[in-house]
Amino acid sequence: MSVNALTELEQSLAAACAALMPDLGLTRVTVRVAGARIGLSPAEVELICPNGPSDIAAILWRQGDAALAGDDIDAQLSAMKVRERIGFLLNRRIDAACADERATHRLIGHLCLPQHLGLYRRLLWESADLVWRKAGDKALDENHYSKRAIVSGILATALMTRLTQGVEAQHAQITRNIEQVMAFETFKAKLPLKPEDALLGAVEFLGKLRFGAAA
């Protein structure tokens, strides 16, 4: 089976699962029923998603990331400041994820189970990385990681806000969170010693205590 054919089957199976999820949730039964509906044998379903529902969850999540692709998006971003780009991309990402809010409720419910939190964190990080790259970020220092950690948190909380309080609350929360982050960055820039420098200094000091002056 070619890579393109496998990808097409993944998308078809994920779409069939999404149609069932509002009523069945995201379980192995859902995946099996969805596969049967599109004419797949159990062996073919196993080939497409060996990890069952978790593979479907990842496919559905990444479909939302695909909403940030396209020349039209880049053209809109070119006229925005960085904070505006981040807000625009986060709102577009969540709007795409919530095209079917009932299915998204089930998807997030699956990802928030303790055994799936590792996958959820990886998917959030992928999305945050995409948002920053689309916004034009090229940082490779420690800020590369802190920026993505912050946006991962904003995305996760804003998505829950959308599902529980609606789109207006989602937009307000993203705006508020970005303003809070920018205010902190402005405050941090005025400090004679940056928090990350203090942390690195403490680590260096502890290393010297443990291993000697050569540490």
Side-chain angles (χ1 to χ4, degrees):
M1 184 181 295
S2 68
V3 173
N4 288 340
L6 182 59
T7 299
E8 289 177 5
L9 285 175
E10 286 177 347
Q11 297 299 321
S12 296
L13 181 58
C17 287
L20 295 170
M21 282 164 54
D23 296 318
L24 298 181
L26 182 51
T27 66
R28 290 193 175 275
V29 172
T30 308
V31 177
R32 186 168 62 250
V33 172
R37 284 196 173 186
I38 61 173
L40 297 176
S41 69
E44 289 172 323
V45 171
E46 179 69 19
L47 175 64
I48 294 167
C49 53
N51 297 307
S54 292
D55 286 340
I56 296 298
I59 294 167
L60 291 173
W61 179 273
R62 288 170 179 142
Q63 286 177 351
D65 288 343
L68 303 186
D71 294 338
D72 60 321
I73 301 295
D74 295 333
Q76 294 179 70
L77 293 173
S78 64
M80 300 179 187
K81 297 179 180 179
V82 173
R83 71 170 69 184
E84 294 170 334
R85 293 175 185 177
I86 298 299
F88 172 82
L89 290 166
L90 284 171
N91 280 312
R92 186 179 178 91
R93 173 65 183 79
I94 294 173
D95 290 345
C98 293
D100 183 345
E101 290 195 11
R102 293 179 65 207
T104 302
H105 266 287
R106 295 293 200 170
L107 173 62
I108 299 305
H110 176 85
L111 290 170
C112 285
L113 292 172
Q115 64 268 35
H116 301 142
L117 285 176
L119 172 62
Y120 192 22
R121 284 191 291 267
R122 290 194 298 274
L123 293 171
L124 284 167
W125 187 273
E126 286 180 14
S127 298
D129 180 59
L130 176 60
V131 165
W132 274 112
R133 285 190 286 108
K134 293 290 290 186
D137 179 64
K138 295 180 174 65
L140 297 176
D141 57 8
E142 69 279 356
N143 289 327
H144 173 92
Y145 301 99
S146 62
K147 287 177 178 179
R148 282 146 184 81
I150 289 168
V151 167
S152 293
I154 295 175
L155 174 56
T157 54
L159 180 53
M160 292 303 296
T161 297
R162 169 62 176 271
L163 294 174
T164 56
Q165 301 177 44
V167 64
E168 292 184 5
Q170 164 204 319
H171 290 182
Q173 179 171 331
I174 288 175
T175 298
R176 184 170 61 252
N177 288 161
I178 291 175
E179 288 176 351
Q180 290 168 343
V181 170
M182 297 304 295
F184 174 73
E185 290 298 321
T186 301
F187 167 74
K188 188 175 75 171
K190 296 177 181 179
L191 294 176
L193 180 65
K194 304 297 185 290
E196 57 267 29
D197 292 338
L199 177 60
L200 290 173
V203 170
E204 181 181 8
F205 175 71
L206 292 172
K208 287 180 179 179
L209 287 179
R210 174 64 179 83
F211 299 106

